[in-house]
Amino acid sequence: GENVEQHPSTLSVQEGDSAVIKCTYSDSASNYFPWYKQELGKRPQLIIDIRSNVGEKKDQRIAVTLNKTAKHFSLHITETQPEDSAVYFCAASKGTYKYIFGTGTRLKVLA
Amino acid sequence: DAGVTQSPTHLIKTRGQQVTLRCSPKSGHDTVSWYQQALGQGPQFIFQYYEEEERQRGNFPDRFSGHQFPNYSSELNVNALLLGDSALYLCASSRGQGDGYTFGSGTRLTVV
């Protein structure tokens, strides 16, 4: 069935270093890949997304890359700051139909 | 812009009872999706409503049902509650095929 695997489950980095979170999806028809940040007790918030006709997208310190052939996509955060500490979820979908979420990555940025 | 509004924010119910959760989508959004998020897990898709009809459904039993009203707001109903239904229930709204979801803050349901 449809599945999204996300790694690592936890990630600790020093402030200023980069963080990379990787996801693999199973449904080759997926064409939309959002990333959400969820702080403790709060709603998931969309931080960046990418569509299947694009290989890379950047927004300031955040970038997402997509490899459709391998069915991989990754989130890259550069110059990490303590406020980047949160749980990050990747998801895959076909348009805005159901999202299949990964299991989450708890990112800790150490000051 | 009020964003996505969910009510109530917290709820405690007894096994076997029924519960109704409510969601008002972001202004301009016409599609509402419901997700269940267990502690430490990613959100799991329950169903999606568009034009007052259930457009797609995840792997949830028939105890989970929903409704969308003409003003695009939505309800999630869960019958015969089980302890395992304890979770954060998230509502997300979207508009057509162009935008990603906007999530509400969720309803924390505890079944005792």
Side-chain angles (χ1 to χ4, degrees):
Chain A
E2 300 157 313
N3 185 46
V4 174
E5 294 187 359
Q6 183 172 347
H7 299 282
S9 57
T10 60
L11 179 60
S12 293
V13 299
Q14 289 293 133
E15 182 178 359
D17 286 351
S18 296
V20 180
I21 302 171
K22 299 181 179 182
C23 289
T24 303
Y25 60 98
S26 61
D27 187 349
S28 57
S30 298
N31 59 7
Y32 178 68
F33 306 92
W35 285 88
Y36 283 84
K37 175 183 180 182
Q38 188 174 29
E39 296 177 63
L40 191 62
K42 296 191 175 180
R43 74 185 75 191
Q45 292 197 304
L46 179 69
I47 55 171
I48 196 167
D49 57 10
I50 191 168
R51 300 186 187 278
S52 58
N53 59 346
V54 175
E56 183 175 359
K57 182 177 179 181
K58 285 185 180 180
D59 183 3
Q60 300 183 340
R61 297 187 295 110
I62 296 173
V64 56
T65 59
L66 172 65
N67 181 330
K68 285 192 297 183
T69 304
K71 293 190 279 188
H72 288 167
F73 59 113
S74 299
L75 177 71
H76 304 253
I77 306 174
T78 59
E79 301 173 19
T80 52
Q81 301 167 2
E83 51 265 38
D84 294 329
S85 296
V87 179
Y88 291 81
F89 291 98
C90 63
S93 79
K94 291 174 266 195
T96 53
Y97 285 84
K98 69 177 180 182
Y99 287 9
I100 306 298
F101 281 88
T103 49
T105 296
R106 182 172 300 279
L107 174 64
K108 295 181 184 178
V109 180
L110 307 171
Chain B
D1 185 353
V4 180
T5 305
Q6 290 188 245
S7 63
T9 54
H10 295 84
L11 202 52
I12 300 175
K13 288 286 190 179
T14 304
R15 257 184 316 177
Q17 286 189 313
Q18 179 264 343
V19 68
T20 297
L21 311 181
R22 295 177 175 83
C23 173
S24 293
K26 182 177 178 180
S27 177
H29 285 187
D30 57 9
T31 302
V32 173
S33 304
W34 287 92
Y35 284 80
Q36 181 194 67
Q37 187 177 24
L39 203 59
Q41 301 294 317
Q44 298 290 314
F45 178 76
I46 303 175
F47 40 55
Q48 183 181 83
Y49 278 85
Y50 174 70
E51 292 188 342
E52 302 179 52
E53 292 195 357
E54 184 182 287
R55 179 158 69 176
Q56 198 170 21
R57 187 179 182 92
N59 295 325
F60 279 80
D62 292 345
R63 298 187 296 109
F64 290 77
S65 63
H67 189 78
Q68 185 179 35
F69 299 93
N71 66 352
Y72 307 118
S73 67
S74 178
E75 289 182 349
L76 164 65
N77 301 292
V78 187
N79 294 322
L81 284 166
L82 303 174
L83 295 179
D85 295 331
S86 296
L88 179 67
Y89 288 83
L90 293 164
C91 170
S93 71
S94 57
R95 181 183 60 193
Q97 294 285 314
D99 299 329
Y101 287 168
T102 299
F103 278 94
S105 296
T107 294
R108 172 76 59 189
L109 173 64
T110 302
V111 182
V112 297

